[in-house]
Amino acid sequence: MGETCDLCSRSPVKTTEHHLIPKQYGGVEGPTAMLCSACHRQIHALFTNEELAAFYHSVERLKDHPDMQKYLRWVKKQDPEKKITTRKSNRRKRK
């Protein structure tokens, strides 16, 4: 504990390694970001692995997506100790 999330910048949080290019698309040795579990789950709730591999393969591009911007504005106000639940986005449900 005591790390900072590369996406929401909350600290101190426990982080996990997120492959910016999903492993199934060749990202095993590719770039990674250290994310809190809430941000990591949110990314996978919003985007398919195909979308992550094709376009959203950097922290900057993830931050630029309108749904992620809305989430980040909200999550930055949350206590790093708080357990945050994630729901699959309606956009993903329709696919």
Side-chain angles (χ1 to χ4, degrees):
M1 198 83 154
E3 299 166 6
T4 301
C5 176
D6 290 341
L7 198 57
C8 71
S9 301
R10 290 185 310 146
S11 179
V13 292
K14 183 178 183 217
T15 59
T16 57
E17 186 176 43
H18 169 70
H19 289 82
L20 292 167
I21 298 171
K23 291 188 260 184
Q24 75 187 82
Y25 290 95
V28 174
E29 300 296 325
T32 61
M34 297 308 290
L35 305 178
C36 66
S37 61
C39 285
H40 204 160
R41 286 192 314 272
Q42 185 66 24
I43 286 171
H44 290 288
L46 282 176
F47 306 107
T48 65
N49 280 350
E50 285 178 340
E51 291 170 325
L52 292 171
F55 188 78
Y56 296 102
H57 47 71
S58 73
V59 171
E60 293 74 26
R61 284 189 173 182
L62 289 166
K63 286 181 178 181
D64 282 344
H65 190 279
D67 290 342
M68 189 56 81
Q69 288 175 352
K70 182 179 175 184
Y71 163 78
L72 289 171
R73 279 193 302 274
W74 174 80
V75 81
K76 286 178 181 184
K77 299 173 193 170
Q78 306 307 310
D79 184 329
E81 301 286 322
K82 181 180 178 182
K83 172 81 170 124
I84 296 172
T85 57
T86 306
R87 287 178 277 163
K88 188 179 265 192
S89 73
N90 289 332
R91 189 180 64 79
R92 284 264 335 256
K93 287 178 189 175
R94 288 190 291 269
K95 288 190 173 204

